[in-house]
Amino acid sequence: MRDGPHLGARPSIGLVVNPIAGLGGRVGLKGTDTPEVVARALALGAIPQAPRRAAETLLALHSVVASRGDPQPGLLVGPGDLGESAARLAGAAATVVVEAVHDGQTTAADTRQVARAFESAGVDLLLFAGGDGTARDLAAAVDERVPTLGIPAGVKVQSAVFATSPHTAGEISAAFLAPASRRTTAEREVVDLDEAAYRRGEVAPLLHGYLRVPASRSIQSRKAPTPPGEAAAMAAAGAEVVASLPIGQPCVLGPGTTVRAVAEQLGVPKTLVGVDVVVPGPGGARLLAGDAGEREVRAAIGAGPVSIVVTPIGGQGFLFGRGNQPIAPAIIRAAGRDAVIVVATPAKLAALGGRPLLVDTGDAELDRALAGFITVITGRAERVVVPVAPA
Amino acid sequence: MTASQAHPATGTAGPSPDAIGPKPMPRRFHQASWDEPIIFELSAPGTRGVLLPEVEPGIRERVGDPVAALPVGVRRRTPPALPELAQIHVVRHYTRLSQENLGVDLNIDVGQGTCTMKYSPKVNDQLIRSPRLADLHPLQDPATIQGVLEIMWRLEQILCEISGMSRVTLQPGAGSAAIWTNVSMIRAYHAARGEGDRRDEIVTTMFSHPSNAACAKTAGFRVVTLMPDPDTGRPSLDALRAAVSDRTAALLITNPEDTGIFNPEIDDFVRIVHEAGGLCSYDQANANGILGITRAREAGFDLCHFNLHKTFSTPHACGGPAAGACGVTEDLAPFLPSPTVERDGDRFFLDADRPESIGKVRPWYGVAPNIVRAYAWIMSLGATGLREVAEVAVLNNNYLMHRVLGLRGSSAPYAAGKRRIEQVRYSWDELTRDTGVHSEELGVRMADFGTHYWTSHHPFVVPEPMTLEPTESYSRADLDEYAAMLGAVVREAYAEPETIRTAPHRSTVHQVRHEWFDDPARWAVTWRAYCRKHGGGGIAATPDAGRDSPPSSGAAHPAAAPDA
């Protein structure tokens, strides 16, 4: 560690970035938990998203604090891609807390080392950019009393410790550190998928620990598991979706158990957390591309009209941008808003309590175009009108 | 017995050991639990309740065989399979069942919010048991039933005045039957204008009376539901605009909704739907908070309905005949069910010559006993009395809300800081997060204090919901007592949550397995269905009937043994 940073009376933030988080998303991989997957993602043309998203948070934070006329908080960062480069992207002055790590890929151990350095320095808020895997590293490394907030930058962001978007993370941080703030926090779950159950086709997020998160309504809720009684409701909604799909027109099926119910009604296999492309025919549907990345989806749908069937993530309401990244902004834009068929059970929508469905496609203009009210298929002859908003 | 069931000793403190001490609050209660068989199982062949005297000599010869006088078509070939019991066994059976009941005649029954469990004055039941009503038959010549026809005609005028509508039918046999009647008239209206095929959608809201969506679907419509805004608890006008189109047949909406929140933009809702060519139907199943204060017609509605058992104090029949009333504007009147009750000078008659009518929604022309009860209740109060009902119901509700929101872990989502109309949908979300105890479990524990548990509210838009509706029937002392009971249960949730999770402890029935109600292959609402599905005839052939039977009762009731 370098000489202890002098923070003075100003509040301080520690920022650690998992530079490889989210690499797999756009190319159809499920995460970046192993070096092999990282290498494959880079070979497929993936561009690191996490440093850019962390910079977005710093910019939002800077802008809110400046508008209040308060002094900017001190910023501690991890070396290189672990935080330093994000600060540089945002043009923010920062103190690096540990020596540069070895050349090449960073590991979970580096993330944990940086986090512990922030804790020793007594930061007021620990920000991290990554996914559920990164959240698990943080929960393992730092004391539960350190206020921590996640900047969503991974493929799997089901833990309830993430802000709904990088921008919101900046706003929450600013509010939390404001001189008049009571710095209220809440313990929130860190979950990650149970790999074994996942292979059996069940979304069963396992609880891995807790982090103390600034209390705000803009924190993503923990993904709600589907109770067994939901199966019939999903089948009914799935059948209604199938009845609305034009014969012979390609259809992109997003991830999730509710969309899997659509595939079951179509009689085609479904990747639970992947994107598939099918075409309904008079004698049954045909699979055009299974577990597809953006490139495969584009190739399968061609240039003609297309339907996109998606379901919001339970408890969070994300429609785009949290696990269905292969349905890239260009694909959604070409299909048009009316081509997006949203399906959800009444209980899943009810659990959102009227909060809007969220979109974070990575294309702010498209997010705005998707905003407004949308009709969700919830069962046989049943629809619910809900708002959609950018995250 | 758990620790919580140990009651504090009373009468131990005071000037004299013989003095009557104060009663504990909440009061001690333990419900009867009789493990009572179904009456068919009590049958002992040859037993009779009443032995009739022999027919006197000479009469039999004069009369002959009375059955021979009946037409062949109405004569049974075999006697009905009725249970054979002595009178004392019948009385004992039904007295025991009555001891295993909850309700407004037993305790403070405000837990079933949205159901409007008000007290029904006993004098109205005396009226309907009078032979002058009870002995009437609907096939009598109208000239001989002028009295009850006049009551029907007068009740229609009263409900027109209360709702602002032009005509009212009293024919539907219940509240949902009334909504179905309204949906049928909506369909007939659009069909008459040549738009029947196109207008196939009904718009409603998440917190409207759920029977609206159910009846619309039953009648073949597609249902489009509006979600509440997370701050106001009401759907926004923009959401409504997104939902209506040239396919909209009607808006079916409740106001105030089941949250107790009144929608002040209701006239704008009506205007937007009218501009799209749809009709608007006001669900006033429960009009208890608005009687004499707002009227459906003034907000622009084309139709409305009342559940006479919610607002006008007739019994909640639970499957027996209730009564619903539908009000319509002049434009919709031709579609009303047939016949209508009409007046010609001093004469009342039934008009079945209604070519555009949707037909009958129930045999005859309404549930006469409930119509008479509702008429008597309204006449006993008068116009100012009806308004006072609403005012007291709203006052009671807001007083109880003040008490409930003082309890740890409670909240009233939406419209923060605003009062409610006649009921409140509370949330125990915070209590659940603190203790792991769910709202449903709190409700079941309340049965240990002799009050009704709360049900429904699915899907849970409000997390861990509870809806309380005190109506005008209860005094402030009653509401304080209810709040004390609820407070005791909340304290238990924090101090000894296991007591709540394993409740009820002092009720007739312990916990019931829901799959019995969910599985069509197993549920049985009649003895005949029970015998068919479970090889019936004897309780021994049936699975556990849901009682919390101690092992010792196994010998007396073989069926009480848990099924394998």
Coordinates of all heavy atoms in Angstrom, one line a residue, chain A residues 217 240 346-347 349-351 353-356 373 375 379-387, chain B residues 206 217 221-231 236 238-239 242-243 414 459-461:
Chain A
R217 N -34.9 4.0 -2.8 CA -35.8 3.2 -3.6 C -35.2 2.8 -4.9 O -35.7 2.0 -5.7 CB -37.1 3.9 -3.8 CG -38.0 3.9 -2.6 CD -39.3 4.5 -2.9 NE -40.1 3.8 -3.9 CZ -41.3 4.1 -4.2 NH1 -41.9 5.1 -3.7 NH2 -41.9 3.4 -5.2
E240 N -51.3 -17.5 -24.3 CA -51.8 -16.2 -24.9 C -50.8 -15.6 -25.8 O -51.2 -15.0 -26.8 CB -52.3 -15.3 -23.7 CG -53.0 -14.0 -24.2 CD -54.4 -14.2 -24.6 OE1 -54.9 -15.4 -24.6 OE2 -55.1 -13.3 -25.0
P346 N -49.5 -12.3 -13.2 CA -50.0 -11.2 -12.4 C -49.2 -11.0 -11.1 O -49.0 -9.9 -10.7 CB -51.4 -11.6 -12.1 CG -51.8 -12.5 -13.2 CD -50.5 -13.2 -13.6
A347 N -48.8 -12.1 -10.5 CA -48.0 -12.0 -9.2 C -46.7 -11.3 -9.4 O -46.3 -10.5 -8.6 CB -47.8 -13.3 -8.6
L349 N -46.0 -9.0 -11.7 CA -46.2 -7.6 -11.9 C -46.6 -6.9 -10.6 O -46.2 -5.8 -10.3 CB -47.3 -7.3 -12.9 CG -46.9 -7.5 -14.4 CD1 -48.1 -7.0 -15.3 CD2 -45.7 -6.6 -14.7
A350 N -47.5 -7.6 -9.9 CA -47.9 -7.1 -8.6 C -46.8 -6.8 -7.6 O -46.8 -5.8 -6.9 CB -48.9 -8.1 -7.9
A351 N -45.8 -7.7 -7.7 CA -44.7 -7.5 -6.8 C -43.9 -6.2 -7.0 O -43.2 -5.7 -6.2 CB -43.7 -8.7 -6.8
G353 N -45.4 -3.5 -7.5 CA -46.2 -2.4 -6.8 C -46.4 -1.2 -7.6 O -46.5 -0.1 -7.1
G354 N -46.5 -1.3 -8.9 CA -46.8 -0.2 -9.8 C -45.6 0.6 -10.2 O -45.6 1.6 -11.0
R355 N -44.4 0.1 -9.8 CA -43.1 0.8 -10.2 C -43.0 0.4 -11.7 O -43.4 -0.6 -12.2 CB -41.9 0.3 -9.4 CG -41.9 0.6 -8.0 CD -40.6 0.5 -7.3 NE -40.0 -0.8 -7.6 CZ -40.2 -1.9 -6.9 NH1 -41.1 -1.9 -5.9 NH2 -39.7 -3.1 -7.2
P356 N -42.3 1.3 -12.4 CA -42.2 1.1 -13.9 C -41.3 -0.1 -14.2 O -40.4 -0.4 -13.4 CB -41.6 2.4 -14.4 CG -41.0 3.1 -13.3 CD -41.7 2.6 -12.0
F373 N -46.3 3.8 -21.7 CA -47.0 2.7 -21.2 C -47.0 1.5 -22.2 O -47.0 1.7 -23.4 CB -48.5 3.1 -20.9 CG -48.6 3.9 -19.7 CD1 -48.5 5.3 -19.8 CD2 -48.8 3.4 -18.4 CE1 -48.6 6.1 -18.6 CE2 -48.9 4.1 -17.3 CZ -48.8 5.5 -17.4
T375 N -48.5 -2.6 -22.8 CA -49.5 -3.6 -22.4 C -48.8 -5.0 -22.2 O -48.1 -5.5 -23.2 CB -50.6 -3.7 -23.5 OG1 -51.1 -2.4 -23.6 CG2 -51.6 -4.7 -23.1
G379 N -52.1 -13.4 -18.9 CA -52.9 -14.6 -18.9 C -53.9 -14.7 -20.0 O -53.8 -13.9 -20.9
R380 N -54.7 -15.7 -20.0 CA -55.7 -15.9 -21.1 C -56.7 -14.7 -21.1 O -57.3 -14.4 -20.1 CB -56.5 -17.2 -20.9 CG -55.8 -18.4 -21.4 CD -55.8 -18.3 -23.0 NE -55.5 -19.6 -23.6 CZ -55.2 -19.7 -24.9 NH1 -55.2 -18.6 -25.7 NH2 -55.0 -20.8 -25.4
A381 N -56.7 -14.0 -22.2 CA -57.6 -12.8 -22.3 C -57.3 -11.8 -21.2 O -58.2 -11.1 -20.8 CB -59.1 -13.2 -22.3
E382 N -56.1 -11.7 -20.7 CA -55.8 -10.7 -19.7 C -54.5 -9.9 -20.1 O -53.5 -10.5 -20.5 CB -55.4 -11.5 -18.4 CG -56.6 -12.0 -17.6 CD -56.3 -12.7 -16.4 OE1 -55.1 -12.6 -15.9 OE2 -57.1 -13.5 -15.9
R383 N -54.7 -8.6 -19.9 CA -53.6 -7.7 -20.1 C -53.5 -6.7 -18.9 O -54.5 -6.5 -18.3 CB -53.8 -6.8 -21.4 CG -54.2 -7.6 -22.6 CD -53.0 -8.1 -23.3 NE -53.3 -8.7 -24.6 CZ -53.7 -9.9 -24.9 NH1 -54.0 -10.7 -23.8 NH2 -54.0 -10.3 -26.1
V384 N -52.3 -6.2 -18.7 CA -52.1 -5.2 -17.7 C -51.3 -4.1 -18.3 O -50.3 -4.3 -19.0 CB -51.4 -5.7 -16.4 CG1 -51.1 -4.6 -15.4 CG2 -52.3 -6.8 -15.7
V385 N -51.7 -2.8 -18.1 CA -51.0 -1.7 -18.6 C -50.0 -1.2 -17.6 O -50.4 -0.9 -16.5 CB -52.0 -0.6 -19.0 CG1 -51.2 0.7 -19.5 CG2 -52.9 -1.1 -20.2
V386 N -48.7 -1.1 -17.9 CA -47.7 -0.7 -16.9 C -46.8 0.3 -17.6 O -46.6 0.3 -18.8 CB -46.9 -1.8 -16.4 CG1 -47.7 -2.8 -15.5 CG2 -46.3 -2.6 -17.5
P387 N -46.2 1.2 -16.8 CA -45.2 2.2 -17.4 C -43.9 1.5 -17.6 O -43.5 0.6 -16.9 CB -45.2 3.3 -16.3 CG -45.6 2.6 -15.0 CD -46.5 1.5 -15.4
Chain B
M206 N -56.4 -2.4 -11.0 CA -55.9 -3.4 -10.1 C -56.6 -3.4 -8.7 O -56.8 -4.5 -8.1 CB -54.4 -3.2 -9.9 CG -53.7 -4.3 -9.1 SD -54.0 -6.0 -9.8 CE -52.7 -6.1 -11.1
K217 N -64.5 -11.4 -18.0 CA -63.9 -12.5 -18.6 C -65.0 -13.6 -18.9 O -65.0 -14.3 -19.9 CB -62.8 -13.1 -17.8 CG -61.4 -12.8 -18.4 CD -60.3 -13.5 -17.6 CE -59.7 -14.6 -18.4 NZ -58.4 -15.1 -17.7
F221 N -65.1 -11.2 -22.6 CA -64.3 -10.0 -22.9 C -62.9 -10.2 -22.6 O -62.6 -11.0 -21.7 CB -64.8 -8.8 -22.2 CG -66.1 -8.2 -22.7 CD1 -67.3 -8.6 -22.2 CD2 -66.1 -7.3 -23.8 CE1 -68.5 -8.0 -22.7 CE2 -67.2 -6.8 -24.3 CZ -68.5 -7.2 -23.8
R222 N -62.0 -9.5 -23.3 CA -60.6 -9.5 -22.9 C -60.5 -8.3 -21.8 O -61.0 -7.3 -22.0 CB -59.7 -9.1 -24.1 CG -58.2 -9.2 -23.8 CD -57.3 -8.9 -25.0 NE -57.6 -9.7 -26.1 CZ -58.2 -9.2 -27.3 NH1 -58.4 -8.0 -27.4 NH2 -58.4 -10.1 -28.3
V223 N -59.7 -8.6 -20.8 CA -59.6 -7.7 -19.6 C -58.3 -6.9 -19.7 O -57.2 -7.6 -19.7 CB -59.8 -8.4 -18.3 CG1 -59.7 -7.4 -17.1 CG2 -61.2 -9.1 -18.2
V224 N -58.3 -5.6 -19.6 CA -57.1 -4.8 -19.6 C -57.1 -4.1 -18.2 O -58.0 -3.3 -17.9 CB -57.1 -3.8 -20.7 CG1 -55.8 -3.0 -20.7 CG2 -57.2 -4.5 -22.1
T225 N -56.1 -4.4 -17.4 CA -56.1 -3.8 -16.0 C -55.0 -2.7 -15.9 O -53.9 -2.9 -16.4 CB -55.7 -5.0 -15.1 OG1 -56.7 -6.0 -15.2 CG2 -55.8 -4.5 -13.6
L226 N -55.4 -1.7 -15.2 CA -54.5 -0.6 -15.0 C -53.8 -0.7 -13.6 O -54.5 -1.0 -12.6 CB -55.2 0.8 -15.0 CG -56.1 1.1 -16.3 CD1 -56.7 2.4 -16.1 CD2 -55.2 1.0 -17.5
M227 N -52.5 -0.6 -13.6 CA -51.8 -0.6 -12.3 C -51.8 0.7 -11.6 O -51.9 1.7 -12.2 CB -50.3 -1.0 -12.5 CG -50.1 -2.4 -13.0 SD -50.5 -3.6 -11.7 CE -49.0 -3.5 -10.6
P228 N -51.8 0.7 -10.3 CA -51.8 2.0 -9.5 C -50.4 2.7 -9.7 O -49.4 2.0 -9.8 CB -52.0 1.5 -8.1 CG -51.4 0.2 -8.0 CD -51.6 -0.5 -9.4
D229 N -50.5 4.0 -9.6 CA -49.3 4.8 -9.5 C -48.7 4.5 -8.1 O -49.4 4.5 -7.1 CB -49.6 6.3 -9.7 CG -48.4 7.2 -9.5 OD1 -48.1 7.5 -8.4 OD2 -47.8 7.5 -10.6
P230 N -47.3 4.3 -8.0 CA -46.8 4.0 -6.7 C -46.9 5.1 -5.7 O -46.8 4.8 -4.5 CB -45.3 3.7 -7.0 CG -45.0 4.1 -8.4 CD -46.3 4.3 -9.1
D231 N -47.1 6.3 -6.1 CA -47.3 7.4 -5.1 C -48.7 7.6 -4.7 O -49.1 7.6 -3.5 CB -46.7 8.7 -5.6 CG -45.2 8.6 -5.8 OD1 -44.6 7.9 -4.9 OD2 -44.6 9.1 -6.7
S236 N -53.0 6.5 -13.4 CA -52.9 7.8 -14.0 C -53.8 7.9 -15.2 O -54.2 6.9 -15.8 CB -51.5 8.1 -14.4 OG -51.1 7.3 -15.5
D238 N -52.9 9.0 -18.0 CA -52.0 8.5 -19.1 C -52.1 7.0 -19.3 O -52.2 6.5 -20.4 CB -50.6 8.9 -18.9 CG -50.4 10.4 -19.2 OD1 -51.3 11.0 -19.8 OD2 -49.4 11.0 -18.7
A239 N -52.2 6.3 -18.1 CA -52.3 4.9 -18.2 C -53.6 4.5 -18.9 O -53.7 3.6 -19.7 CB -52.2 4.2 -16.8
A242 N -53.6 5.0 -22.5 CA -52.9 4.0 -23.2 C -53.7 2.7 -23.3 O -53.5 1.9 -24.2 CB -51.6 3.7 -22.5
A243 N -54.7 2.6 -22.5 CA -55.5 1.3 -22.5 C -56.7 1.4 -23.3 O -57.2 0.4 -23.8 CB -55.9 1.0 -21.0
Y414 N -49.2 4.2 -0.2 CA -49.8 5.2 -1.1 C -50.4 6.4 -0.3 O -50.7 6.2 0.8 CB -50.9 4.6 -2.0 CG -50.6 3.3 -2.7 CD1 -51.3 2.1 -2.5 CD2 -49.5 3.3 -3.6 CE1 -50.9 1.0 -3.1 CE2 -49.2 2.1 -4.3 CZ -49.9 1.0 -4.0 OH -49.6 -0.2 -4.7
P459 N -53.3 -10.9 -6.6 CA -51.9 -10.9 -6.2 C -51.6 -9.8 -5.3 O -52.2 -8.7 -5.3 CB -51.2 -10.8 -7.6 CG -52.1 -10.0 -8.4 CD -53.5 -10.4 -8.0
F460 N -50.5 -9.9 -4.5 CA -50.1 -9.0 -3.5 C -49.4 -7.7 -4.1 O -48.2 -7.7 -4.2 CB -49.2 -9.6 -2.5 CG -49.9 -10.5 -1.5 CD1 -51.3 -10.7 -1.6 CD2 -49.2 -11.1 -0.5 CE1 -51.9 -11.6 -0.7 CE2 -49.8 -12.0 0.4 CZ -51.2 -12.2 0.3
V461 N -50.2 -6.8 -4.6 CA -49.6 -5.5 -5.0 C -49.1 -4.7 -3.8 O -48.0 -4.2 -3.8 CB -50.7 -4.7 -5.8 CG1 -50.1 -3.3 -6.2 CG2 -51.2 -5.4 -7.0

